[in-house]
Amino acid sequence: MKNVVIIGGGITGLATAFYLRQYVHPTVQITLIDAASRLGGKIASAYENGFVVEGGPDSFITQKTGALALCRDLGLSDQLIGSNRAAKTTYVWNREQLHSIPEGMMLMAPTMLVPFLRSRLISWPGKLRMGIEMFLPARRNPSDESLASFVRRRLGKEALEKIAAPLMAGIFAADPEKLSLQSTFPMFLTMEKQHGSLTRGILQKKRAQDSAPVQPGPKPLPPPMFMTLRGGLQQLVDAIVQRLQRETILLNRGVRSVIRDHDRYKIELSDGSLLWADEIVFATPSDVTAKLLWDLNPVLAMKLRAIRYVSTATVSLGFKRGDVHLPLNGSGFLVPHSENRRITACSWSSKKFNHRAPDDCELIRVFVGGARAEALAEQDDAALIDLARQELRAIMGITAVPVLAKAYRWPKANPQYDVGHPARMDEVDQIVAWHHGLHLAGAAYRGAGIPDCIQSGMKAAQAIAKNLATSEVTYKEARVSVSV
Ligand SMILES: Cc1cc2nc3c(=O)[nH]c(=O)nc-3n(C[C@H](O)[C@H](O)[C@H](O)COP(=O)(O)OP(=O)(O)OC[C@H]3O[C@@H](n4cnc5c(N)ncnc54)[C@H](O)[C@@H]3O)c2cc1C
């Protein structure tokens, strides 16, 4: 009988276990181990007085199909909800006012002239600077560069400070001066290379889409950009766990060490017990994986240790509807670092998604910390809630006492894809390939969002199924429902 051990029961480890069970012979023994008392890792939904509060992620992007496909594979299609199309505008706090990001911005490049010209977020010199992007020469040097350097070079300082940097703080909790462009937005590099300019690349893509032959019949609406589940993302975790009936799940037991023992892996748990595995998946944060791999391959461990993590926190506040005056068409706002405030972003959760608050209430969630203000995220719950209330009073004028207040701290939880990350990942992959049966998956490597984590778990499951097939265990052809 073959044994597979998956270390880490966040969404990566759970997805690995779920897909693996579909790919391998029923006799393969799968064990999932987590140091915590619950599965789900950073996915943590709470239910209180009719509110659905997300402590960690609140949704997933649909452009990358991994999460949507997994929800469908789990029979959760009727539980999926999309971000409200009416709340698609995002605002930016600038000079004591909320300004909407102009319609037609593709991340940071304008594609629609009128809304861009009308926007009061960017000054006229800033608009002019962004407008000349299409006439600037392309960079010749093929090496990785920071996102900040790219945006400054192509679109100017104002686009960086008011749009790109706050977006990156929101998505990656990152400092754009350190963030690798190749790891995060490789399509911008490709556009620059192929079209000489971002704006030209985006416009050409739009033109090609507009001139594509129209299929007869009504055009199906694309899925909303972000989706989640009616009962919060915990529903995804619960649905996977329900399917893992034949697997051994060990909670409250951290892995203490992993060594090679002849042709198997010997795993020691925190309670002193031992397990042996033919195939092993590390679905733990890379700093934990680095410690566990030290005896096996110190060079690999050092490469993993070099991936930095930063701390963040979220604070969710529920208010009576009459106490909050939200713009009607928004999903929330970003706060540029240059504004010297103590939050990086705010989601109007109950505007963004339905089923998040009782009918007479609104749910608001603020983000604290990240690469440029880590210390703020390390305060205790009461201080975080106080900070969130003060910031919402200053920015949104909310003075009422919240009917719900919940803080979540995420110490060293967000991996940072620093400049040079793709090259480091190539080296990591090469070293991992020397170790038969060793697999790394999760947010630290090639995509930090939930769909990326699921995709990496699925890839690990496929690789294991192939290894086991070549070692005489029946390999059921992988039912690949995710486009890679
Ligand atoms: C505040 C916040 C908001 C986010 N928002 C979004 C969002 O809206 N959309 C999105 O797509 N992504 C979002 N992300 C990113 C996303 O949540 C994570 O990348 C993803 O959940 C990571 O999953 P994972 O399974 O790889 O890691 P984790 O969830 O960190 O799971 C790792 C598991 O390993 C376990 N473990 C650790 N050490 C050991 C050990 N020694 N032995 C055994 N087990 C161990 C841990 O207990 C944990 O359960 C957000 C992240 C944060 C922090």
PDB file of all heavy atoms in Angstrom, residues 207-231:
ATOM      1  N   ARG A 207      -9.760  46.005 -29.397  1.00  0.00           N
ATOM      2  CA  ARG A 207     -10.223  46.062 -30.790  1.00  0.00           C
ATOM      3  C   ARG A 207     -10.447  44.655 -31.336  1.00  0.00           C
ATOM      4  O   ARG A 207     -11.435  44.378 -31.988  1.00  0.00           O
ATOM      5  CB  ARG A 207      -9.210  46.811 -31.655  1.00  0.00           C
ATOM      6  CG  ARG A 207      -9.829  48.095 -32.235  1.00  0.00           C
ATOM      7  CD  ARG A 207      -8.806  48.884 -33.016  1.00  0.00           C
ATOM      8  NE  ARG A 207      -8.069  49.775 -32.132  1.00  0.00           N
ATOM      9  CZ  ARG A 207      -6.767  50.037 -32.218  1.00  0.00           C
ATOM     10  NH1 ARG A 207      -6.027  49.482 -33.131  1.00  0.00           N
ATOM     11  NH2 ARG A 207      -6.200  50.874 -31.390  1.00  0.00           N
ATOM     12  N   ALA A 208      -9.520  43.752 -31.005  1.00  0.00           N
ATOM     13  CA  ALA A 208      -9.644  42.370 -31.490  1.00  0.00           C
ATOM     14  C   ALA A 208     -10.909  41.732 -30.915  1.00  0.00           C
ATOM     15  O   ALA A 208     -11.648  41.035 -31.619  1.00  0.00           O
ATOM     16  CB  ALA A 208      -8.417  41.566 -31.093  1.00  0.00           C
ATOM     17  N   GLN A 209     -11.176  42.016 -29.632  1.00  0.00           N
ATOM     18  CA  GLN A 209     -12.387  41.455 -29.012  1.00  0.00           C
ATOM     19  C   GLN A 209     -13.640  42.005 -29.688  1.00  0.00           C
ATOM     20  O   GLN A 209     -14.580  41.294 -29.983  1.00  0.00           O
ATOM     21  CB  GLN A 209     -12.434  41.800 -27.523  1.00  0.00           C
ATOM     22  CG  GLN A 209     -11.607  40.855 -26.671  1.00  0.00           C
ATOM     23  CD  GLN A 209     -11.392  41.391 -25.259  1.00  0.00           C
ATOM     24  OE1 GLN A 209     -11.791  42.500 -24.921  1.00  0.00           O
ATOM     25  NE2 GLN A 209     -10.745  40.594 -24.437  1.00  0.00           N
ATOM     26  N   ASP A 210     -13.623  43.344 -29.945  1.00  0.00           N
ATOM     27  CA  ASP A 210     -14.806  43.987 -30.533  1.00  0.00           C
ATOM     28  C   ASP A 210     -15.070  43.484 -31.945  1.00  0.00           C
ATOM     29  O   ASP A 210     -16.213  43.415 -32.392  1.00  0.00           O
ATOM     30  CB  ASP A 210     -14.637  45.513 -30.562  1.00  0.00           C
ATOM     31  CG  ASP A 210     -14.642  46.082 -29.147  1.00  0.00           C
ATOM     32  OD1 ASP A 210     -15.023  45.327 -28.219  1.00  0.00           O
ATOM     33  OD2 ASP A 210     -14.243  47.244 -28.965  1.00  0.00           O
ATOM     34  N   SER A 211     -13.977  43.146 -32.679  1.00  0.00           N
ATOM     35  CA  SER A 211     -14.194  42.746 -34.074  1.00  0.00           C
ATOM     36  C   SER A 211     -14.318  41.230 -34.240  1.00  0.00           C
ATOM     37  O   SER A 211     -14.428  40.739 -35.354  1.00  0.00           O
ATOM     38  CB  SER A 211     -13.065  43.295 -34.956  1.00  0.00           C
ATOM     39  OG  SER A 211     -11.856  42.739 -34.496  1.00  0.00           O
ATOM     40  N   ALA A 212     -14.287  40.499 -33.121  1.00  0.00           N
ATOM     41  CA  ALA A 212     -14.447  39.039 -33.210  1.00  0.00           C
ATOM     42  C   ALA A 212     -15.847  38.722 -33.728  1.00  0.00           C
ATOM     43  O   ALA A 212     -16.797  39.451 -33.413  1.00  0.00           O
ATOM     44  CB  ALA A 212     -14.241  38.415 -31.831  1.00  0.00           C
ATOM     45  N   PRO A 213     -15.982  37.663 -34.570  1.00  0.00           N
ATOM     46  CA  PRO A 213     -17.308  37.354 -35.130  1.00  0.00           C
ATOM     47  C   PRO A 213     -18.331  37.115 -34.016  1.00  0.00           C
ATOM     48  O   PRO A 213     -18.027  36.451 -33.021  1.00  0.00           O
ATOM     49  CB  PRO A 213     -17.068  36.067 -35.931  1.00  0.00           C
ATOM     50  CG  PRO A 213     -15.706  35.587 -35.553  1.00  0.00           C
ATOM     51  CD  PRO A 213     -14.952  36.713 -34.961  1.00  0.00           C
ATOM     52  N   VAL A 214     -19.510  37.720 -34.184  1.00  0.00           N
ATOM     53  CA  VAL A 214     -20.534  37.614 -33.145  1.00  0.00           C
ATOM     54  C   VAL A 214     -21.279  36.293 -33.321  1.00  0.00           C
ATOM     55  O   VAL A 214     -21.758  35.976 -34.406  1.00  0.00           O
ATOM     56  CB  VAL A 214     -21.526  38.807 -33.248  1.00  0.00           C
ATOM     57  CG1 VAL A 214     -22.570  38.748 -32.140  1.00  0.00           C
ATOM     58  CG2 VAL A 214     -20.754  40.118 -33.198  1.00  0.00           C
ATOM     59  N   GLN A 215     -21.343  35.502 -32.256  1.00  0.00           N
ATOM     60  CA  GLN A 215     -22.079  34.240 -32.300  1.00  0.00           C
ATOM     61  C   GLN A 215     -23.578  34.536 -32.307  1.00  0.00           C
ATOM     62  O   GLN A 215     -24.020  35.471 -31.644  1.00  0.00           O
ATOM     63  CB  GLN A 215     -21.759  33.394 -31.056  1.00  0.00           C
ATOM     64  CG  GLN A 215     -20.288  33.066 -30.873  1.00  0.00           C
ATOM     65  CD  GLN A 215     -19.741  32.182 -32.002  1.00  0.00           C
ATOM     66  OE1 GLN A 215     -20.440  31.326 -32.517  1.00  0.00           O
ATOM     67  NE2 GLN A 215     -18.500  32.436 -32.398  1.00  0.00           N
ATOM     68  N   PRO A 216     -24.356  33.732 -33.081  1.00  0.00           N
ATOM     69  CA  PRO A 216     -25.809  33.976 -33.059  1.00  0.00           C
ATOM     70  C   PRO A 216     -26.384  33.670 -31.669  1.00  0.00           C
ATOM     71  O   PRO A 216     -25.808  32.894 -30.916  1.00  0.00           O
ATOM     72  CB  PRO A 216     -26.348  32.990 -34.110  1.00  0.00           C
ATOM     73  CG  PRO A 216     -25.259  31.991 -34.309  1.00  0.00           C
ATOM     74  CD  PRO A 216     -23.963  32.628 -33.938  1.00  0.00           C
ATOM     75  N   GLY A 217     -27.489  34.307 -31.356  1.00  0.00           N
ATOM     76  CA  GLY A 217     -28.146  34.068 -30.065  1.00  0.00           C
ATOM     77  C   GLY A 217     -27.641  35.020 -29.010  1.00  0.00           C
ATOM     78  O   GLY A 217     -26.699  35.785 -29.246  1.00  0.00           O
ATOM     79  N   PRO A 218     -28.279  34.995 -27.836  1.00  0.00           N
ATOM     80  CA  PRO A 218     -27.864  35.928 -26.783  1.00  0.00           C
ATOM     81  C   PRO A 218     -26.452  35.623 -26.288  1.00  0.00           C
ATOM     82  O   PRO A 218     -26.072  34.467 -26.151  1.00  0.00           O
ATOM     83  CB  PRO A 218     -28.898  35.683 -25.662  1.00  0.00           C
ATOM     84  CG  PRO A 218     -29.515  34.363 -25.971  1.00  0.00           C
ATOM     85  CD  PRO A 218     -29.352  34.089 -27.428  1.00  0.00           C
ATOM     86  N   LYS A 219     -25.688  36.686 -26.067  1.00  0.00           N
ATOM     87  CA  LYS A 219     -24.289  36.516 -25.632  1.00  0.00           C
ATOM     88  C   LYS A 219     -24.282  36.190 -24.134  1.00  0.00           C
ATOM     89  O   LYS A 219     -24.869  36.947 -23.345  1.00  0.00           O
ATOM     90  CB  LYS A 219     -23.562  37.834 -25.888  1.00  0.00           C
ATOM     91  CG  LYS A 219     -22.084  37.685 -26.023  1.00  0.00           C
ATOM     92  CD  LYS A 219     -21.476  39.018 -26.435  1.00  0.00           C
ATOM     93  CE  LYS A 219     -20.039  39.068 -25.939  1.00  0.00           C
ATOM     94  NZ  LYS A 219     -19.501  40.390 -25.945  1.00  0.00           N
ATOM     95  N   PRO A 220     -23.650  35.067 -23.726  1.00  0.00           N
ATOM     96  CA  PRO A 220     -23.642  34.776 -22.295  1.00  0.00           C
ATOM     97  C   PRO A 220     -22.820  35.803 -21.522  1.00  0.00           C
ATOM     98  O   PRO A 220     -21.782  36.236 -21.990  1.00  0.00           O
ATOM     99  CB  PRO A 220     -22.991  33.381 -22.206  1.00  0.00           C
ATOM    100  CG  PRO A 220     -22.238  33.224 -23.475  1.00  0.00           C
ATOM    101  CD  PRO A 220     -22.881  34.102 -24.513  1.00  0.00           C
ATOM    102  N   LEU A 221     -23.351  36.204 -20.370  1.00  0.00           N
ATOM    103  CA  LEU A 221     -22.625  37.174 -19.549  1.00  0.00           C
ATOM    104  C   LEU A 221     -21.370  36.507 -18.976  1.00  0.00           C
ATOM    105  O   LEU A 221     -21.436  35.361 -18.531  1.00  0.00           O
ATOM    106  CB  LEU A 221     -23.498  37.596 -18.373  1.00  0.00           C
ATOM    107  CG  LEU A 221     -24.444  38.774 -18.550  1.00  0.00           C
ATOM    108  CD1 LEU A 221     -25.212  39.005 -17.259  1.00  0.00           C
ATOM    109  CD2 LEU A 221     -23.669  40.024 -18.946  1.00  0.00           C
ATOM    110  N   PRO A 222     -20.236  37.189 -18.991  1.00  0.00           N
ATOM    111  CA  PRO A 222     -19.062  36.579 -18.340  1.00  0.00           C
ATOM    112  C   PRO A 222     -19.325  36.513 -16.830  1.00  0.00           C
ATOM    113  O   PRO A 222     -20.115  37.299 -16.307  1.00  0.00           O
ATOM    114  CB  PRO A 222     -17.937  37.570 -18.652  1.00  0.00           C
ATOM    115  CG  PRO A 222     -18.611  38.862 -18.942  1.00  0.00           C
ATOM    116  CD  PRO A 222     -19.968  38.536 -19.487  1.00  0.00           C
ATOM    117  N   PRO A 223     -18.660  35.570 -16.123  1.00  0.00           N
ATOM    118  CA  PRO A 223     -18.887  35.540 -14.681  1.00  0.00           C
ATOM    119  C   PRO A 223     -18.390  36.841 -14.054  1.00  0.00           C
ATOM    120  O   PRO A 223     -17.504  37.484 -14.606  1.00  0.00           O
ATOM    121  CB  PRO A 223     -18.058  34.344 -14.204  1.00  0.00           C
ATOM    122  CG  PRO A 223     -17.083  34.057 -15.286  1.00  0.00           C
ATOM    123  CD  PRO A 223     -17.672  34.583 -16.554  1.00  0.00           C
ATOM    124  N   PRO A 224     -18.960  37.240 -12.926  1.00  0.00           N
ATOM    125  CA  PRO A 224     -18.446  38.447 -12.274  1.00  0.00           C
ATOM    126  C   PRO A 224     -16.960  38.273 -11.978  1.00  0.00           C
ATOM    127  O   PRO A 224     -16.475  37.142 -11.861  1.00  0.00           O
ATOM    128  CB  PRO A 224     -19.238  38.505 -10.964  1.00  0.00           C
ATOM    129  CG  PRO A 224     -20.377  37.574 -11.137  1.00  0.00           C
ATOM    130  CD  PRO A 224     -20.001  36.574 -12.160  1.00  0.00           C
ATOM    131  N   MET A 225     -16.268  39.384 -11.847  1.00  0.00           N
ATOM    132  CA  MET A 225     -14.812  39.322 -11.658  1.00  0.00           C
ATOM    133  C   MET A 225     -14.450  38.570 -10.369  1.00  0.00           C
ATOM    134  O   MET A 225     -13.494  37.809 -10.339  1.00  0.00           O
ATOM    135  CB  MET A 225     -14.274  40.734 -11.594  1.00  0.00           C
ATOM    136  CG  MET A 225     -12.805  40.809 -11.789  1.00  0.00           C
ATOM    137  SD  MET A 225     -12.406  42.541 -11.944  1.00  0.00           S
ATOM    138  CE  MET A 225     -10.721  42.485 -12.296  1.00  0.00           C
ATOM    139  N   PHE A 226     -15.224  38.795  -9.317  1.00  0.00           N
ATOM    140  CA  PHE A 226     -14.964  38.111  -8.051  1.00  0.00           C
ATOM    141  C   PHE A 226     -16.184  37.306  -7.649  1.00  0.00           C
ATOM    142  O   PHE A 226     -17.315  37.751  -7.833  1.00  0.00           O
ATOM    143  CB  PHE A 226     -14.663  39.119  -6.928  1.00  0.00           C
ATOM    144  CG  PHE A 226     -13.404  39.890  -7.167  1.00  0.00           C
ATOM    145  CD1 PHE A 226     -13.450  41.185  -7.673  1.00  0.00           C
ATOM    146  CD2 PHE A 226     -12.170  39.314  -6.920  1.00  0.00           C
ATOM    147  CE1 PHE A 226     -12.282  41.889  -7.924  1.00  0.00           C
ATOM    148  CE2 PHE A 226     -10.996  40.012  -7.163  1.00  0.00           C
ATOM    149  CZ  PHE A 226     -11.055  41.301  -7.672  1.00  0.00           C
ATOM    150  N   MET A 227     -15.936  36.126  -7.074  1.00  0.00           N
ATOM    151  CA  MET A 227     -17.051  35.328  -6.576  1.00  0.00           C
ATOM    152  C   MET A 227     -16.725  34.803  -5.194  1.00  0.00           C
ATOM    153  O   MET A 227     -15.564  34.726  -4.776  1.00  0.00           O
ATOM    154  CB  MET A 227     -17.350  34.162  -7.523  1.00  0.00           C
ATOM    155  CG  MET A 227     -17.903  34.618  -8.848  1.00  0.00           C
ATOM    156  SD  MET A 227     -18.581  33.292  -9.841  1.00  0.00           S
ATOM    157  CE  MET A 227     -20.310  33.449  -9.460  1.00  0.00           C
ATOM    158  N   THR A 228     -17.779  34.433  -4.484  1.00  0.00           N
ATOM    159  CA  THR A 228     -17.597  33.789  -3.197  1.00  0.00           C
ATOM    160  C   THR A 228     -18.782  32.844  -2.995  1.00  0.00           C
ATOM    161  O   THR A 228     -19.507  32.555  -3.943  1.00  0.00           O
ATOM    162  CB  THR A 228     -17.478  34.836  -2.068  1.00  0.00           C
ATOM    163  OG1 THR A 228     -17.210  34.155  -0.844  1.00  0.00           O
ATOM    164  CG2 THR A 228     -18.732  35.694  -1.917  1.00  0.00           C
ATOM    165  N   LEU A 229     -18.940  32.364  -1.791  1.00  0.00           N
ATOM    166  CA  LEU A 229     -20.068  31.467  -1.517  1.00  0.00           C
ATOM    167  C   LEU A 229     -21.027  32.153  -0.554  1.00  0.00           C
ATOM    168  O   LEU A 229     -20.603  32.953   0.292  1.00  0.00           O
ATOM    169  CB  LEU A 229     -19.543  30.148  -0.946  1.00  0.00           C
ATOM    170  CG  LEU A 229     -18.753  29.350  -1.991  1.00  0.00           C
ATOM    171  CD1 LEU A 229     -17.792  28.358  -1.349  1.00  0.00           C
ATOM    172  CD2 LEU A 229     -19.715  28.607  -2.929  1.00  0.00           C
ATOM    173  N   ARG A 230     -22.270  31.822  -0.721  1.00  0.00           N
ATOM    174  CA  ARG A 230     -23.327  32.446   0.076  1.00  0.00           C
ATOM    175  C   ARG A 230     -22.997  32.457   1.566  1.00  0.00           C
ATOM    176  O   ARG A 230     -23.162  33.455   2.256  1.00  0.00           O
ATOM    177  CB  ARG A 230     -24.591  31.613  -0.162  1.00  0.00           C
ATOM    178  CG  ARG A 230     -25.845  32.354  -0.228  1.00  0.00           C
ATOM    179  CD  ARG A 230     -26.957  31.315  -0.390  1.00  0.00           C
ATOM    180  NE  ARG A 230     -28.124  31.750   0.349  1.00  0.00           N
ATOM    181  CZ  ARG A 230     -29.089  32.469  -0.173  1.00  0.00           C
ATOM    182  NH1 ARG A 230     -29.049  32.794  -1.444  1.00  0.00           N
ATOM    183  NH2 ARG A 230     -30.106  32.861   0.562  1.00  0.00           N
ATOM    184  N   GLY A 231     -22.507  31.355   2.048  1.00  0.00           N
ATOM    185  CA  GLY A 231     -22.195  31.240   3.477  1.00  0.00           C
ATOM    186  C   GLY A 231     -20.749  31.574   3.793  1.00  0.00           C
ATOM    187  O   GLY A 231     -20.246  31.183   4.846  1.00  0.00           O
TER     188      GLY A 231
END
